[in-house]
Each structure stands twice: as C-alpha cells, then as structure tokens.
Amino acid sequence: YLLDYSSIYYAVLNHIDPSPVNAIDFVKTRLWMFTDELYVMFYTKIEDDNKMKITIGIPAYNEEKNIAPIITKLKEITDSIIVCDDGSSDMTSKISQDLGARVVTHKKNMGYGAAIKSIFLEAKQIQPDILVTFDADGQHNVEDIEKVIGPIQKNTSDLVIGSRFLNEKNKEIPRYRKVGIKTITGLTNTLTGTKISDAQSGFRAYSKKTLEKITPSDDGMGVSTEILIKSSKLGLVITEVPIKVNYEGDTSTHDPISHGTSVILSTLKFTSIHNPLKFYGIPGLIFLIIGLGFAAWTIQIYSVQQQIITNISLIGIGCMVLGSIFLMTAVILFSIVTVVKEKWLENITNTWNISQ
C-alpha cells in the first residue's frame, strides 16, 4: 500500500489518542496491512517526533574537581548542557567549555539563585521540553535523572522535585541539615498549601510550560522556595520522586546558618509580595483585636475606679495603631500587586496577538 506516513501519524495522534504509546498500540492492532519494514519506519517516526528535548543546567562555583566527570556522565543523556560559572577562580569554566557545555560566566560570585536565574534565561533561548537542574558538588546521581523527568514525560507534572526524604537509604544526611530542611519545608508548605517533603532540593525538572512562566529573581539560596511559591500561585502541578544523595567528603559549600537565614528571609519576602492580605492582614487584625480588648479594659477600669491605668491604655493604643498600619499596608500592597498582574497579563496578551 502506498501510504503517507506523516498523515497517518498525525491522524492517529490527533483523532485517536494524543498519547504516542497508545498511538503505537493502535497501529499494531488496527493498521495490520503494514509490512514489517513499513511498521519499523512508522514506529521510528513516532519515537523521533515525540522524543522530548532535555537540557541540563548546572550551577557551579569552584568545582574544577567535580565538573568534568559530571558533564561526561550527563553527555550520555543529552548534549544540551548549560553550566553557570558563578564567578569561579579555578578552571571550572574552561573545563566545561572544553567538554562541550554551554557556559554562562558571572564576573563575580553572585549566589546560587543568580546562577539558577542565568540557567533559566539561557534555557529559555534553547527552548527545551524539559530543564533539569543538577548540582555540581557530586551529591546527585546521574542515574536518578530518568526518575526525575519521568512525570513530565508522562505529562502528569509541571515541576518535579528529587526528594532526599522519600528514599529510606539516605540515612547519612547530617542531622543539622535534616532539621533545617524540614523546618524550611514546613514553612513553605504552610505558605503554599503544598505537601512536599524537600523544598530545598536543587535536583529538579521543569516542564516547558514552567520554564516559560517562571523567571527566578532571588540571588541567594531562597530561590528554591521562590520557585515553589510562584509555581503554586500559577497552579502548576508539583510532584516529588525519591533520589539518592551522597554526603561523603566535602560536598557542600554552603554555611548552614547563612543558608537557613537566607531561605527564611526570602520566603517571607515572596510571601509578603504574593500574599499581602494574608501576610499583613492577619497580623493586623490580631493586633487590632488585642488593642480593642485593652481599650475596652481601660474603659471598664475608668468607669469603676475613675482612673486610667497608663500601661494598659498605652498597650491598647499601640496595638490598635500597629494593627491599622498592617491592615493599610495589606490593602495598598494588594492593590499594587493586582494592578501589576493586570498590566503583565495585558502585555502578554498583546504580545501573543501581535505574534498571531
């Protein structure tokens, strides 16, 4: 039979089932007139057309000891590798370039978040179907990439986190890290309404939709939380898969105290921006109610004893003033954020209309 393979291919995908796997099953069971040779050609075309383009981004700072073997292993998965050299003073940049990676160089050390932002911006130009962020310190296993990108390949997730706490074999995680990560993750879950186990994992996969909608802005370690807050706000699907990590030797370059402080401050900052009514409004109401309570107490004492208790009245006045300030701040910031969002959506719409 003389058949137009591309026509059959798109007919199968668009009218039978959008899933490539089901399309292949359809071909196997229904298009029985194919010879073995024609079937192989058709199957190969479906595989090639539906193979997702993967880009792997590596933030690196003075990682000349680790970067070469990591890039070499990653080359077995994809040739599209971005290395952000965050102001290294060693050979990190040169080694990466020599191994064929696409290198973005910062003139000075700007922080983990700045490196992730540069990777996102570079990936937006490449336009991969999946962006994987992978640490350069040797903690992550290349073999786990398949698990991390799996949910996106199946179109069941927009952002996949490689969790260190879903794998029971990760017993070597230092206790102070475990406590810190759990604390930050709990705070993140409270603010975003998610139920994730590892909000600080740098081993993640982002879908094309996520990459298009999100651009990180935090320069520090709080970028991981920032991305989760923005993703949750946009209604993107976030899932986790278990990964194994290696904490043998000197693999971390981050001070735990500064790391934790940076993340907490960043979380509070982005919560105040994205949820001003909750962040300022709830404390404002609490202070206002407390202030009114002390004011009522002051009036009651005056009506009975004909005297004003200075301490009680001052506490009441202070709480009412503070509550009013918080409430006004919440309303003003909410109005500003709403206007900015409307302008942003208007610009996006206009850009889309022009492109059409």
Side-chain angles (χ1 to χ4, degrees):
Y1 295 90
L2 297 176
L3 299 173
D4 182 347
Y5 301 115
S6 61
S7 298
I8 296 175
Y9 166 66
Y10 287 111
V12 170
L13 292 190
N14 295 329
H15 300 293
I16 303 301
D17 194 308
S19 168
V21 176
N22 290 337
I24 294 171
D25 290 339
F26 175 80
V27 172
K28 288 179 179 178
T29 56
R30 300 295 181 85
L31 301 183
W32 49 267
M33 72 287 293
F34 275 178
T35 64
D36 290 342
E37 183 180 354
L38 295 181
Y39 172 73
V40 170
M41 291 171 59
F42 186 77
Y43 181 89
T44 302
K45 180 171 178 57
I46 291 179
E47 289 293 303
D48 290 342
D49 286 358
N50 288 277
K51 191 174 183 180
M52 287 186 166
K53 182 180 179 182
I54 301 170
T55 293
I56 300 176
I58 309 172
Y61 176 63
N62 290 336
E63 295 288 356
E64 64 179 5
K65 294 181 180 179
N66 299 317
I67 199 70
I70 289 175
I71 293 178
T72 302
K73 289 182 180 179
L74 292 176
K75 282 280 187 177
E76 298 175 5
I77 298 174
T78 179
D79 288 328
S80 181
I81 298 174
I82 302 170
V83 174
C84 181
D85 180 5
D86 190 29
S88 298
S89 57
D90 61 7
M91 301 287 287
T92 298
S93 183
K94 187 178 186 310
I95 293 172
S96 301
Q97 287 177 338
D98 290 345
L99 290 171
R102 188 166 178 162
V103 179
V104 179
T105 304
H106 293 170
K107 293 183 178 180
K108 62 178 181 179
N109 182 242
M110 299 173 64
Y112 177 76
I116 292 294
K117 179 182 179 180
S118 293
I119 288 172
F120 265 67
L121 294 175
E122 194 71 16
K124 287 175 188 286
Q125 297 181 26
I126 300 174
Q127 296 183 336
D129 296 302
I130 303 174
L131 170 65
V132 178
T133 52
F134 194 89
D135 286 356
D137 55 14
Q139 288 186 8
H140 298 155
N141 292 314
V142 175
E143 294 76 14
D144 284 332
I145 290 180
E146 186 176 349
K147 288 194 292 185
V148 175
I149 65 176
I152 296 178
Q153 289 177 322
K154 296 175 183 176
N155 199 31
T156 59
S157 181
D158 300 306
L159 193 166
V160 184
I161 302 170
S163 173
R164 292 163 283 189
F165 300 105
L166 295 180
N167 191 334
E168 296 180 356
K169 296 180 180 179
N170 291 329
K171 297 179 180 179
E172 68 273 16
I173 299 177
R175 184 173 179 79
Y176 70 91
R177 284 194 184 186
K178 189 177 292 186
V179 173
I181 294 169
K182 288 288 187 182
T183 301
I184 295 169
T185 298
L187 176 61
T188 303
N189 285 337
T190 301
L191 297 173
T192 61
T194 56
K195 294 181 179 180
I196 58 178
S197 63
D198 192 352
Q200 288 302 294
S201 174
F203 193 174
R204 297 180 177 184
Y206 302 93
S207 68
K208 192 170 189 175
K209 180 169 71 173
T210 306
L211 186 60
E212 290 173 349
K213 290 188 174 183
I214 291 180
T215 300
S217 60
D218 192 277
D219 287 343
M221 296 303 297
V223 69
S224 299
T225 303
E226 175 200 349
I227 292 173
L228 291 178
I229 291 174
K230 289 183 175 180
S231 298
S232 176
K233 195 74 176 177
L234 291 169
L236 299 175
V237 180
I238 304 172
T239 56
E240 290 184 298
V241 295
I243 60 167
K244 192 176 185 309
V245 289
N246 172 35
Y247 282 108
E248 294 179 3
D250 184 18
T251 57
S252 179
T253 57
H254 307 299
D255 174 62
I257 296 177
S258 61
H259 179 182
T261 303
S262 173
V263 172
I264 291 173
L265 291 177
S266 176
T267 302
L268 294 176
K269 178 180 72 174
F270 285 105
T271 303
S272 68
I273 293 173
H274 291 279
N275 297 291
L277 289 180
K278 289 182 180 180
F279 189 82
Y280 294 104
I282 293 176
L285 283 174
I286 293 173
F287 277 116
L288 191 60
I289 291 171
I290 292 173
L292 290 173
F294 275 91
W297 189 10
T298 300
I299 294 172
Q300 183 184 21
I301 293 174
Y302 182 78
S303 63
V304 175
Q305 302 180 7
Q306 299 299 309
Q307 63 176 349
I308 295 175
I309 306 299
T310 306
N311 293 340
I312 296 176
S313 60
L314 286 177
I315 291 174
I317 294 171
C319 286
M320 285 191 291
V321 171
L322 195 58
S324 299
I325 292 174
F326 270 98
L327 287 173
M328 286 189 291
T329 302
V331 173
I332 292 171
L333 284 179
F334 178 75
S335 301
I336 294 173
V337 170
T338 302
V339 171
V340 170
K341 283 183 178 178
E342 289 178 352
K343 288 290 183 182
W344 178 75
L345 289 172
E346 183 180 342
N347 290 335
I348 292 293
T349 303
N350 291 337
T351 302
W352 185 84
N353 289 333
I354 291 172
S355 65
Q356 295 296 310

